[in-house]
Amino acid sequence: MKIRFAASAAALLLLALTGCANNTGGNIPPEEPAPTTTTQSSAVAHELTTACASAFEQSEVDLHTMYDSGRENDEVAFTAALDPLFDACESPADLYAGGVKYPYVYGLTDGLYLDAMTLKIYCSGYEATPACTDMDSFKP
């Protein structure tokens, strides 16, 4: 009798610990991982310059206009919307801070998801601009 009780208690404990014995009557959907707080603190560490902020604002407006008019595959319009960022922003940190404040420009829903790899991709072809100089050593 002790073995049967111990086995039943162990099974119940295992179910409770693994979340299988919940009161929801169904599965609990997995939670989306939250953005890291280091990204948020990095963005706060750098003040977005006025020129860079202005360029990001205009890029966002231009991209909304492009997408709203059904020209999502228009590479010329896309490039024209982003080009001013690379001259207006003073450094990779400035470019990063702009992306955190204006995530739509990078195709993100939240600036806290912006990472160094995304910046490197966008800097491809713009390595000689102020915004992308020393991008390889930049850490958000």
Side-chain angles (χ1 to χ4, degrees), residues 65-135:
T65 302
M66 183 185 82
Y67 292 131
D68 290 345
S69 66
R71 299 177 318 167
E72 56 273 345
N73 294 324
D74 187 343
E75 288 187 41
V76 173
F78 182 79
T79 301
L82 295 182
D83 270 349
L85 298 176
F86 302 103
D87 290 322
C89 298
E90 297 177 357
S91 66
D94 202 16
L95 191 65
Y96 174 78
V100 169
K101 187 169 181 180
Y102 300 96
Y104 185 82
V105 172
Y106 290 117
L108 301 171
T109 56
D110 190 324
L112 296 177
Y113 292 108
L114 182 59
D115 60 6
M117 182 57 68
T118 302
L119 289 179
K120 286 179 185 179
I121 291 168
Y122 275 84
C123 277
S124 179
Y126 296 95
E127 291 85 0
T129 63
C132 298
T133 301
D134 297 325
M135 180 57 75

Side-chain angles (χ1 to χ4, degrees), residues 10-29:
L12 185 60
L13 180 60
L14 182 61
L15 287 173
L17 291 174
T18 60
C20 293
N22 60 36
N23 294 332
T24 62
N27 293 331
I28 298 173

